[in-house]
Amino acid sequence: MSTLERGVTFVLGGARSGKSSFAEGLIEASGMDAVYVATGRAWDEEMSERIGLHKERRGASWVTIEEPFDLVGTLQNECADGKAVLVDCLTLWLTNLMMAERNIEAETAKLVAVLPLLKGAAVFVSNEVGLGIVPENRMAREFRDDAGRLHQAVASAAATVYFVAAGLPLKMKG
């Protein structure tokens, strides 16, 4: 497991790739106070079960904050010396923004602008959705494109970037 330091780490991967477990492990190994920012919303029973499994896996040592929209404010409040904040995940945050018809470009710019100002460690997890076929409908294509632009912006601002596949992390930057 790599050493986590102050600054931004970005962890990308496909569904069930092991990215969340890897990111959690980075924070747990750091010895810092662990804060989990959950962007997912329980729209149905299956998603409620997924959220429950994530909470159970982390255990009681994590502080959990459920925040579907205001990542910037949450990061400003929580990312401090001696703390490591895990945002899981950016693609669910993007989904929330799209469903609320928010300005994705402006929200991305606000997020990226705050990253160098954070006082602690921040780890972002996101689903890489751009490796498959071109989606058949406009909304899905817009989501894929917005996710790609968001990922590029966060990766550019991050000190360290990992891609996780089959539970194996590949360090891409840092």
Side-chain angles (χ1 to χ4, degrees):
M1 192 63 58
S2 299
T3 303
L4 184 64
E5 298 176 15
R6 181 178 163 176
V8 176
T9 299
F10 188 31
V11 180
L12 278 167
R16 297 289 170 253
S17 64
K19 63 192 175 296
S20 292
S21 295
F22 174 74
E24 291 166 7
L26 287 174
I27 289 178
E28 289 168 349
S30 75
M32 293 184 224
D33 292 339
V35 178
Y36 186 94
V37 179
T39 61
R41 297 163 81 188
W43 295 104
D44 57 30
E45 187 175 322
E46 186 269 342
M47 190 62 173
S48 292
E49 289 174 12
R50 284 179 185 257
I51 290 169
L53 289 172
H54 270 254
K55 285 180 181 177
E56 187 177 303
R57 183 179 69 219
R58 286 191 309 273
S61 64
W62 288 75
V63 172
T64 299
I65 298 169
E66 295 180 6
E67 180 50 62
F69 296 107
D70 187 18
L71 282 187
V72 170
T74 303
L75 289 166
Q76 288 172 321
N77 290 334
E78 297 297 329
C79 199
D81 286 331
K83 278 187 170 180
V85 176
L86 173 59
V87 175
D88 197 354
C89 76
L90 287 178
T91 42
L92 288 174
W93 177 66
L94 176 62
T95 298
N96 296 335
L97 296 175
M98 288 182 76
M99 298 304 285
E101 298 182 0
R102 300 269 187 105
N103 182 324
I104 305 302
E105 188 176 337
E107 295 289 343
T108 297
K110 282 177 20 185
L111 175 63
V112 172
V114 79
L115 298 181
L117 307 175
L118 299 176
K119 307 258 187 265
V123 179
F124 293 86
V125 172
S126 200
N127 293 291
E128 177 51 68
V129 296
L131 296 174
I133 61 172
V134 175
E136 69 177 28
N137 66 71
R138 180 180 178 160
M139 183 178 183
R141 286 189 298 275
E142 287 176 359
F143 177 80
R144 179 212 49 203
D145 294 349
D146 287 339
R149 286 187 285 271
L150 173 62
H151 292 163
Q152 288 181 59
V154 173
S156 179
T160 308
V161 178
Y162 293 95
F163 186 81
V164 181
L168 301 173
L170 171 65
K171 193 172 193 178
M172 300 173 70
K173 179 181 177 183

